[in-house]
Amino acid sequence: MHREFHQQVQTELDAMADKGTLKSFQHLQAPMDAHTRMEGKGDILIMSSNNYLGLASEPSVIEAGKRALDEYGAGTASVRFICGTFEIHRDLEQRLAAFFGTERALSYVACWNANTGLIPTILGPDDVVISDELNHASLIDGIRLASKTPRAIYRHADMEHLAEILKEHSGARRKLVVTDGVFSMEGDLAPLDRLVEVCREHGAISLVDDSHGTGVVGKTGRGVAEHFGVQDQVDIYTSTLGKALGGAAGGFVASSAPVIGLLEQASRPQIFSNALPPTVSASALEALRVLDENPGRVAELQRKVGFCRQLLAERGYEVNDHPSAIIPIMIGETAKAIEASSALLDKGVFVTGFGYPVVPEGTARIRVQVSYAHSEDDFVRFADALDSVMKG
Ligand SMILES: Cc1ncc(COP(=O)(O)O)c(C=O)c1O
């Protein structure tokens, strides 16, 4: 063993602990829901989960996974092109394509893989990729993997800046504009109505990662493009199955048949890594069915977000008014956000503090996320706990 190396790494961790920025990891002993059981803490209220539609503990979603385990076993034990894919993958992908209104969809074991497997596959040295400055890390890493493609960053949601950059790169073969649908740290929406227009004017292709918008935003939960009425104008969607759509894991690309066809042939996570476990595919498929058949669930989630936001505003907190389920409460210093989160946990409320480097220095926050599973009493309990930590 290289003792010196391991010691150096320990010193790095110690430095994080000294700065108060070391994250702690909790262990849950019951399904993800509005409340769950945490090792050493007992019953806790979860205000920081991506389980937006409350489907992670939905009985039919759990049952679907169990049935798939019986039907297909644990998995293919191989990558797709070597040993094939289960029917349940095809069923899921067809349902995802129908949900997004695209010709086809392709699942990955995570949206992280979808983003990092997509971007380098469709871009080459004669292209350009232009990215919102607040995009998710998986999009940033996807762009980094397209290492021969020139890249540029536009100011957050600034469509004039985007247009200027597109003009500078008018000679590029493909111009790919990349954005989150809902920005995960702020909860704001990409201005997709204008973005698709700018793309059209400049002959650019749009890629929207709607991981925090899927199941949450838009009348029927089809995301930010539905909210802006431009669903048929986005070229490529990526999103996750690990949040509103059951919460297990998994991600996907939804786009035209040629784009998906190319990904099947050449996207590295597709050809060098196993497909989603069939259990996860079946749970996600059932989550989509529940969502399709109960669009009222989305409206109810949106009503609850409004309730929570109003309650926090009445208690004197500055809250955003974006139509997502993410409500950041700004704290400032990273150590303070982590401290607030830990004090809240002592009061039985789990809400994560985010600091540098996830968000810029000085803008640390706790990120409140609302779920369909929450009751109004949960929001009041949370607001009381927050008051006692922040004002107490
Ligand atoms: C915008 C965005 N894209 C991608 C991901 C990664 O999703 P997954 O957990 O499916 O890899 C996340 C997760 O936090 C996200 O917020």
Side-chain angles (χ1 to χ4, degrees), residues 37-373:
R37 205 170 50 250
M38 183 181 280
E39 192 181 55
K41 298 278 179 194
D43 176 76
I44 50 149
L45 167 63
I46 303 252
M47 291 302 303
S48 220
S49 156
N50 301 313
N51 182 27
Y52 294 122
L53 290 173
L55 292 172
S57 58
E58 179 75 15
S60 71
V61 171
I62 297 169
E63 267 316 306
K66 287 182 183 168
R67 274 199 311 276
L69 190 60
D70 286 339
E71 202 170 331
Y72 301 106
T76 48
S78 306
V79 302
R80 283 179 177 221
F81 86 93
I82 297 178
C83 280
T85 308
F86 294 118
E87 294 159 306
I88 194 85
H89 292 104
R90 187 187 53 210
D91 296 349
L92 171 66
E93 287 160 358
Q94 285 175 348
R95 186 131 200 169
L96 285 167
F99 187 75
F100 278 83
T102 58
E103 286 174 347
R104 289 193 64 196
L106 187 65
S107 59
Y108 285 73
V109 293
C111 185
W112 187 283
N113 294 46
N115 286 336
T116 55
L118 164 73
I119 298 171
T121 306
I122 56 171
L123 294 179
D126 299 331
D127 304 324
V128 63
V129 52
I130 309 168
S131 176
D132 187 290
E133 67 179 331
L134 292 191
N135 275 344
H136 189 260
S138 55
L139 290 170
I140 295 171
D141 279 16
I143 290 168
R144 287 180 179 153
L145 284 172
S147 56
K148 296 197 171 71
T149 306
R151 63 188 77 149
I153 294 172
Y154 62 93
R155 286 187 295 273
H156 178 50
D158 184 337
M159 294 298 102
E160 275 157 32
H161 192 209
L162 170 62
E164 268 169 40
I165 297 175
L166 279 165
K167 240 186 256 165
E168 284 163 23
H169 291 272
S170 59
R173 181 188 66 148
R174 289 177 186 159
K175 298 175 269 289
L176 180 70
V177 175
V178 178
T179 184
D180 280 19
V182 172
F183 289 88
S184 54
M185 288 299 132
E186 309 298 328
D188 59 329
L189 270 51
L192 288 192
D193 49 346
R194 293 179 47 226
L195 188 142
V196 295
E197 240 175 65
V198 172
C199 284
R200 202 169 33 248
E201 279 163 20
H202 295 269
I205 304 152
S206 49
L207 161 57
V208 179
D209 173 347
D210 213 7
S211 290
H212 286 279
T214 303
V216 177
V217 178
K219 196 156 179 274
T220 62
R222 280 163 169 75
V224 177
E226 182 185 25
H227 174 84
F228 286 111
V230 295
Q231 257 194 290
D232 57 346
Q233 292 168 58
V234 170
D235 290 287
I236 308 173
Y237 294 97
T238 60
S239 187
T240 185
L241 304 170
K243 303 191 196 299
L245 297 180
F252 58 91
V253 178
S255 187
S256 66
V259 167
I260 300 301
L262 178 66
L263 295 176
E264 282 177 318
Q265 298 300 317
S267 173
R268 291 168 72 81
Q270 288 292 327
I271 52 178
F272 294 112
S273 183
N274 280 13
L276 268 183
T279 45
V280 173
S281 309
S283 287
L285 183 58
E286 173 60 16
L288 275 165
R289 192 198 62 74
V290 173
L291 173 55
D292 268 342
E293 291 178 13
N294 304 278
R297 215 177 242 261
V298 179
E300 183 58 8
L301 166 64
Q302 292 169 352
R303 191 193 66 75
K304 288 181 180 184
V305 175
F307 179 91
C308 181
R309 192 175 274 134
Q310 193 183 334
L311 179 68
L312 291 172
E314 282 165 8
R315 301 279 184 111
Y317 300 100
E318 228 176 83
V319 291
N320 65 37
D321 61 353
H322 307 304
S324 73
I326 296 174
I327 312 173
I329 296 180
M330 303 309 273
I331 308 262
E333 277 172 41
T334 300
K336 287 219 168 101
I338 291 179
E339 234 174 73
S341 159
S342 149
L344 281 161
L345 191 53
D346 288 340
K347 295 183 181 303
V349 180
F350 193 16
V351 54
T352 310
F354 288 90
Y356 181 80
V358 180
V359 292
E361 201 95 66
T363 69
R365 62 202 68 184
I366 53 174
R367 183 175 72 172
V368 178
Q369 289 167 281
V370 174
S371 168
Y372 170 86

